[in-house]
Amino acid sequence: MDGPRVNLHTHTFRCGHASGTVADYCCEAEKAGISILGFSEHSPFPDGEYAASRMNFSELPAYRHEIEEARRNFPGLTILAGLEIDYRPVLGPSFYREEYLEKLGLDYLIAGAHFLPAENGIPARDLKFERPFTLATIRKFVNETLRVMETGLASFITHPDITAIGCERWTPDLKAAYKEILEAALALNIPLEINAYGLRKPLLQTPDGVRPPYPWLPFWELAAEYGVKTVAGSDAHRPEDVWGNIEDAFAIGERLHLPNCNYETAQSILRARGMK
């Protein structure tokens, strides 16, 4: 894709399932010709919820400091400080605004459903343990995605088709469920991410053939019918993947004539934060 290179989905060693420091990713970003790099570690919580997949809440100031240090050391790179949030209804939107955007001074938040949160006496459940996904689980995933979309917290929704990793084939019931995400994205003007991390994962053998876990083409073909806005994100978990497979994600969007707004999203974040 022509224009400035922008990646707003980047993790570091702090999440516990990635490697590399902020500086390591910045070095690789410069080599890759990236203009704007956004860091989006998984959001930690004071009570330690979902602790296995994220830093401790007490590490947030160090994470923020590391990004500020990188801004001084890599002046040719525009660096944004963010988090990838899991939305917990018990906390409400105010927690995310006050703790992350106001107190910590982050530039942006992105959101993706990785868990079914604790609710009505049922403990939180990690989606990866739900495979193969039943339609009931897909419905819960869709509901959690809609819930965070409606808060207005997220600059975009990450991997909205991630449940494809546990689905054998596209069905009318899945189409009906996912349509709700697409309708909300259109109504709320929230971009959806074509996530390149799935293109770096082992291929799945399904009754319909071999495919990446995600992006799932039937989902994006349906998205094209709605004309939703998209971003392409590396979802980098290693410094060398800071631009990993983003070109392939762009190609999916371009082939389906889906509007891409990587640069526009970054510019909107910069304007909102009074940054150039």
Side-chain angles (χ1 to χ4, degrees), residues 52-72:
S53 61
R54 59 209 61 222
M55 72 180 97
N56 189 282
F57 192 76
S58 64
E59 292 181 66
L60 281 170
Y63 169 63
R64 190 72 179 83
H65 174 77
E66 193 176 357
I67 292 173
E68 287 302 321
E69 189 173 61
R71 284 174 169 161
R72 293 190 294 271

Side-chain angles (χ1 to χ4, degrees), residues 31-32 57 77 88 102 104 180 197 201 204 238 267:
K31 293 177 188 176
F57 192 76
L77 183 64
R88 297 174 61 194
E102 295 173 14
L104 198 62
E180 295 187 34
Y197 193 17
K201 291 178 179 288
L204 298 181
R238 303 182 305 171
Q267 288 300 303

Side-chain angles (χ1 to χ4, degrees), residues 153-174:
L153 291 167
S155 293
F156 61 86
I157 299 300
T158 66
H159 42 60
D161 55 337
I162 195 172
T163 41
I165 201 167
C167 297
E168 286 198 330
R169 55 169 33 117
W170 187 252
T171 67
D173 285 337
L174 286 178

Side-chain angles (χ1 to χ4, degrees), residues 230-245:
T230 67
V231 299
S234 171
D235 198 355
H237 284 68
R238 303 182 305 171
E240 58 265 39
D241 291 330
V242 73
W243 194 247
N245 294 95

